[in-house]
């Protein structure tokens, strides 16, 4: 049988996503009250990251440890894959040692190559084309605040072609939300990912008007460092600041997956403003990924 991978949001049937959100809420309550779990006892997770990470790596490690299992992070530079061993051989071997593989890489083709040869679930920990574990967490965070996802209006400000924006576009289709993207010319959502629930709007102010969620991400994603100066110029005027937030309803929440570059895509004041749930969003990675691991490894 093919392993049950989590490579994109659409890999989760909607009812599974709802169960994951319910279970994540239980994990959150348990952690707050000091209750520990053992549901993943004896399970081993291998993490392989071709790009840096703080949240994804540590939240996955903590998630499996706190549920009784183990994590092995294989530093990319110390792996034979970094010396050219095929990803398919790597996947076959790691599948015989571990119960799931978490992989962060560049192009999605590399993720698909690894997954094609893995006998255990492969989890997409970010590619150039998507960041589904982050957006799954963001959806949980939105549902936590508003009680539901359907019909929510999400304003995406800044890089409309980033991995985060692409996963948000997928989420909007799956969960019936309206995504309004305000991005500079040349940085819009790629045409093949557009659908009826996505709209490009001319200004950030128009995007946030009557929005439930205001979201942004770095202007220079990992792998694009060489374009930083060009991007800084292109994104001028797209900073999420208090003035922009004031144009959104008082009930709107502010999301950022972090890491943030203060003074570029977001100001320090916006991050610390009462609408910001950014650090709770980061915390939620732990709870949601516990529930995701249980779904992939136990169900
Ligand atoms: N948001 C996120 O994925 O952060 P890291 O790059 O630190 O994992
Ligand atoms: N778009 C960002 C997300 C970081 C978690 C990047 O790819 O660098």
């Amino acid at each position: 049988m093919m392993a049950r991978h989590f490579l994109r949001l659409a890999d989760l049937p909607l009812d599974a996503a709802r169960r994951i959100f319910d279970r994540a809420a239980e994990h959150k309550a348990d952690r707050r009250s000091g209750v520990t779990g053992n549901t993943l006892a004896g399970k081993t997770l291998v993490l392989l990251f071709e790009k840096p990470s703080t949240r994804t790596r540590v939240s996955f490690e903590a998630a499996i440890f706190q549920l009784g299992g183990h994590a092995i992070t294989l530093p990319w530079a110390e792996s034979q894959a970094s010396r050219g061993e095929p990803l398919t051989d790597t996947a076959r071997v790691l599948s015989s040692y571990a119960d799931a593989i978490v992989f962060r890489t560049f192009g999605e083709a590399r993720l698909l190559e690894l997954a094609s040869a893995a006998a255990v679930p492969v989890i997409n920990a970010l590619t150039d084309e998507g960041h589904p574990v982050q957006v799954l967490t963001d959806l949980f965070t939105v549902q936590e605040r508003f009680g539901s996802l359907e019909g929510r209006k999400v304003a995406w400000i800044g890089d409309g072609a980033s991995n985060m924006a692409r996963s948000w576009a997928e989420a909007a289709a799956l969960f019936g939300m309206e995504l309004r993207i305000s991005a500079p010319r040349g940085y819009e959502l790629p045409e093949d990912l557009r659908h009826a629930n996505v709209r490009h709007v001319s200004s950030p102010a128009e995007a946030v008007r009557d929005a439930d969620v205001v979201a942004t991400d770095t202007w220079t994603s990992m792998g694009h460092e060489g374009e930083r100066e060009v991007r800084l110029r292109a994104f001028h005027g797209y900073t999420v600041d208090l003035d922009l937030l004031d144009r959104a309803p008082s009930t709107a929440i502010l999301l950022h997956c972090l890491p943030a570059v203060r003074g570029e895509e977001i100001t320090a004041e916006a991050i610390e403003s009462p609408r910001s749930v950014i650090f709770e969003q980061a915390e939620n990675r732990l709870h949601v990924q516990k529930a995701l691991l249980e779904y992939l490894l136990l169900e």
Side-chain angles (χ1 to χ4, degrees), residues 8-295:
R8 52 182 65 90
L9 286 167
D11 289 341
L12 278 185
L14 279 189
D15 63 316
R18 293 201 182 95
R19 283 202 307 283
I20 286 171
F21 294 152
D22 290 346
R23 186 73 182 124
E26 290 173 9
H27 282 305
K28 188 166 185 171
D30 282 352
R31 179 144 179 84
R32 298 251 157 116
S33 55
V35 175
T36 53
N38 215 29
T39 48
L40 298 181
K43 303 288 186 191
T44 302
L45 191 63
V46 171
L47 296 100
L48 192 57
F49 285 47
E50 278 196 87
K51 291 174 175 171
S53 169
T54 295
R55 278 147 289 273
T56 307
R57 173 178 166 176
V58 177
S59 58
F60 267 114
E61 288 190 4
I64 191 141
F65 283 134
Q66 289 170 16
L67 293 178
H70 286 82
I72 297 170
T73 293
L74 175 59
W76 181 254
E78 294 171 28
S79 74
Q80 295 288 9
S82 75
R83 295 178 60 244
E85 182 172 17
L87 284 169
T88 44
D89 287 357
T90 305
R92 286 168 68 179
V93 172
L94 294 181
S95 295
S96 64
Y97 305 148
D99 298 285
I101 302 168
V102 179
F103 187 35
R104 171 171 287 194
T105 187
F106 290 88
E108 190 177 52
R110 291 180 64 70
L111 173 77
L112 299 179
E113 191 184 342
L114 182 102
S116 72
V120 298
V122 172
I123 299 172
N124 178 355
L126 180 148
T127 65
D128 294 342
E129 289 90 356
H131 198 1
V133 283
Q134 177 68 59
V135 173
L136 187 67
T137 300
D138 297 358
L139 294 171
F140 171 75
T141 308
V142 172
Q143 181 171 298
E144 218 180 9
R145 174 59 64 104
F146 296 104
S148 64
L149 295 173
E150 200 177 350
R152 294 288 152 221
K153 300 183 183 74
V154 179
W156 180 268
I157 314 297
D159 190 353
S162 75
N163 40 21
M164 283 295 298
R166 291 172 193 227
S167 288
W168 265 106
E170 197 185 352
L174 292 170
F175 292 91
M177 298 177 296
E178 184 187 321
L179 182 65
R180 296 159 189 173
I181 298 178
S182 180
R185 197 184 304 273
Y187 297 94
E188 299 97 341
L189 185 73
E191 296 227 6
D192 57 325
L193 302 180
R194 297 182 196 178
H195 53 76
N197 294 3
V198 177
R199 198 154 58 87
H200 281 86
V201 298
S202 57
S203 72
E206 190 188 335
V208 305
R209 193 181 312 133
D210 77 8
D212 299 301
V213 177
V214 178
T216 188
D217 183 19
T218 181
W219 291 339
T220 307
S221 284
M222 292 179 278
H224 293 281
E225 288 80 2
E227 303 164 19
R228 189 174 138 75
E229 294 308 318
V230 176
R231 285 173 168 263
L232 273 179
R233 282 194 293 280
F235 286 101
H236 182 76
Y238 287 85
T239 301
V240 174
D241 57 16
L242 292 183
D243 184 52
L244 182 67
L245 288 179
D246 277 345
R247 294 165 189 264
S250 57
T251 48
I253 57 170
L254 173 64
L255 297 179
H256 189 308
C257 67
L258 299 174
V261 187
R262 289 170 174 78
E264 292 189 10
E265 79 277 3
I266 195 163
T267 61
E269 293 75 21
I271 290 176
E272 302 305 334
S273 72
R275 292 158 199 261
S276 166
V277 295
I278 289 171
F279 285 94
E280 189 161 1
Q281 175 190 2
E283 177 197 324
N284 285 341
R285 296 287 302 272
L286 175 70
H287 313 306
V288 170
Q289 289 163 194
K290 279 180 178 169
L292 177 67
L293 288 171
E294 287 176 333
Y295 166 72

